[in-house]
Amino acid sequence: MPKISPELLSVLRCPVTGSTLTQEGEELVSTAAAEGGEPVRYGIEDGIPLLLPPELLAAANAARSDQHDGPAAAAPTA
């Protein structure tokens, strides 16, 4: 489990709540609850925090998978 340095954690803020973040295993968790009453959780990939709000993270993952569709995804030639 990659540990986020205390120096980095001291400057990071939750983009949804504006609160500080703490590391819990493979996630960073906001110290304040979002509108739904739950803290916001962010994944860590290869030691890099993914600080996208949950609704944008799904869109980013979908866009990333679209980039690997192969030649069929190329622009048509005229």
Side-chain angles (χ1 to χ4, degrees), residues 63-71 73:
R64 190 178 339 163
S65 67
D66 288 346
Q67 294 175 357
H68 303 289
D69 286 343

PDB file of all heavy atoms in Angstrom, residues 63-71 73:
ATOM      1  N   ALA A  63     -13.897   7.595 -20.729  1.00  0.00           N
ATOM      2  CA  ALA A  63     -13.133   8.236 -21.794  1.00  0.00           C
ATOM      3  C   ALA A  63     -11.799   7.529 -21.999  1.00  0.00           C
ATOM      4  O   ALA A  63     -11.347   7.344 -23.119  1.00  0.00           O
ATOM      5  CB  ALA A  63     -12.909   9.713 -21.463  1.00  0.00           C
ATOM      6  N   ARG A  64     -11.184   7.115 -20.908  1.00  0.00           N
ATOM      7  CA  ARG A  64      -9.900   6.420 -21.000  1.00  0.00           C
ATOM      8  C   ARG A  64     -10.061   5.104 -21.746  1.00  0.00           C
ATOM      9  O   ARG A  64      -9.232   4.746 -22.563  1.00  0.00           O
ATOM     10  CB  ARG A  64      -9.345   6.177 -19.604  1.00  0.00           C
ATOM     11  CG  ARG A  64      -7.933   5.682 -19.606  1.00  0.00           C
ATOM     12  CD  ARG A  64      -7.331   5.478 -18.246  1.00  0.00           C
ATOM     13  NE  ARG A  64      -7.983   6.204 -17.180  1.00  0.00           N
ATOM     14  CZ  ARG A  64      -7.826   5.933 -15.902  1.00  0.00           C
ATOM     15  NH1 ARG A  64      -7.035   4.949 -15.531  1.00  0.00           N
ATOM     16  NH2 ARG A  64      -8.447   6.619 -14.979  1.00  0.00           N
ATOM     17  N   SER A  65     -11.142   4.372 -21.504  1.00  0.00           N
ATOM     18  CA  SER A  65     -11.337   3.091 -22.184  1.00  0.00           C
ATOM     19  C   SER A  65     -11.672   3.300 -23.659  1.00  0.00           C
ATOM     20  O   SER A  65     -11.363   2.456 -24.493  1.00  0.00           O
ATOM     21  CB  SER A  65     -12.424   2.270 -21.498  1.00  0.00           C
ATOM     22  OG  SER A  65     -13.681   2.886 -21.642  1.00  0.00           O
ATOM     23  N   ASP A  66     -12.277   4.430 -24.022  1.00  0.00           N
ATOM     24  CA  ASP A  66     -12.590   4.722 -25.418  1.00  0.00           C
ATOM     25  C   ASP A  66     -11.331   4.947 -26.242  1.00  0.00           C
ATOM     26  O   ASP A  66     -11.342   4.765 -27.458  1.00  0.00           O
ATOM     27  CB  ASP A  66     -13.483   5.963 -25.539  1.00  0.00           C
ATOM     28  CG  ASP A  66     -14.897   5.705 -25.062  1.00  0.00           C
ATOM     29  OD1 ASP A  66     -15.259   4.517 -24.896  1.00  0.00           O
ATOM     30  OD2 ASP A  66     -15.632   6.682 -24.844  1.00  0.00           O
ATOM     31  N   GLN A  67     -10.241   5.325 -25.610  1.00  0.00           N
ATOM     32  CA  GLN A  67      -9.000   5.606 -26.329  1.00  0.00           C
ATOM     33  C   GLN A  67      -8.346   4.330 -26.842  1.00  0.00           C
ATOM     34  O   GLN A  67      -7.449   4.385 -27.653  1.00  0.00           O
ATOM     35  CB  GLN A  67      -8.018   6.342 -25.424  1.00  0.00           C
ATOM     36  CG  GLN A  67      -8.479   7.715 -25.043  1.00  0.00           C
ATOM     37  CD  GLN A  67      -7.546   8.377 -24.039  1.00  0.00           C
ATOM     38  OE1 GLN A  67      -6.583   7.774 -23.592  1.00  0.00           O
ATOM     39  NE2 GLN A  67      -7.834   9.610 -23.699  1.00  0.00           N
ATOM     40  N   HIS A  68      -8.788   3.178 -26.405  1.00  0.00           N
ATOM     41  CA  HIS A  68      -8.153   1.926 -26.773  1.00  0.00           C
ATOM     42  C   HIS A  68      -9.042   1.057 -27.650  1.00  0.00           C
ATOM     43  O   HIS A  68      -8.961  -0.152 -27.603  1.00  0.00           O
ATOM     44  CB  HIS A  68      -7.752   1.168 -25.499  1.00  0.00           C
ATOM     45  CG  HIS A  68      -6.845   1.963 -24.624  1.00  0.00           C
ATOM     46  ND1 HIS A  68      -5.545   2.223 -24.946  1.00  0.00           N
ATOM     47  CD2 HIS A  68      -7.056   2.604 -23.443  1.00  0.00           C
ATOM     48  CE1 HIS A  68      -4.998   2.972 -23.997  1.00  0.00           C
ATOM     49  NE2 HIS A  68      -5.896   3.216 -23.089  1.00  0.00           N
ATOM     50  N   ASP A  69      -9.873   1.680 -28.457  1.00  0.00           N
ATOM     51  CA  ASP A  69     -10.778   0.917 -29.295  1.00  0.00           C
ATOM     52  C   ASP A  69     -10.129   0.416 -30.579  1.00  0.00           C
ATOM     53  O   ASP A  69     -10.730  -0.341 -31.316  1.00  0.00           O
ATOM     54  CB  ASP A  69     -12.022   1.748 -29.659  1.00  0.00           C
ATOM     55  CG  ASP A  69     -12.950   1.879 -28.461  1.00  0.00           C
ATOM     56  OD1 ASP A  69     -12.817   1.092 -27.505  1.00  0.00           O
ATOM     57  OD2 ASP A  69     -13.802   2.776 -28.481  1.00  0.00           O
ATOM     58  N   GLY A  70      -8.924   0.857 -30.880  1.00  0.00           N
ATOM     59  CA  GLY A  70      -8.217   0.369 -32.054  1.00  0.00           C
ATOM     60  C   GLY A  70      -8.574   1.123 -33.312  1.00  0.00           C
ATOM     61  O   GLY A  70      -9.163   2.206 -33.276  1.00  0.00           O
ATOM     62  N   PRO A  71      -8.256   0.550 -34.492  1.00  0.00           N
ATOM     63  CA  PRO A  71      -8.434   1.248 -35.759  1.00  0.00           C
ATOM     64  C   PRO A  71      -9.874   1.647 -36.052  1.00  0.00           C
ATOM     65  O   PRO A  71     -10.102   2.626 -36.741  1.00  0.00           O
ATOM     66  CB  PRO A  71      -7.947   0.243 -36.793  1.00  0.00           C
ATOM     67  CG  PRO A  71      -7.102  -0.728 -36.044  1.00  0.00           C
ATOM     68  CD  PRO A  71      -7.626  -0.743 -34.637  1.00  0.00           C
ATOM     69  N   ALA A  73     -11.860   3.120 -34.283  1.00  0.00           N
ATOM     70  CA  ALA A  73     -12.151   4.409 -33.678  1.00  0.00           C
ATOM     71  C   ALA A  73     -11.506   5.557 -34.447  1.00  0.00           C
ATOM     72  O   ALA A  73     -11.725   6.696 -34.132  1.00  0.00           O
ATOM     73  CB  ALA A  73     -11.672   4.423 -32.222  1.00  0.00           C
TER      74      ALA A  73
END
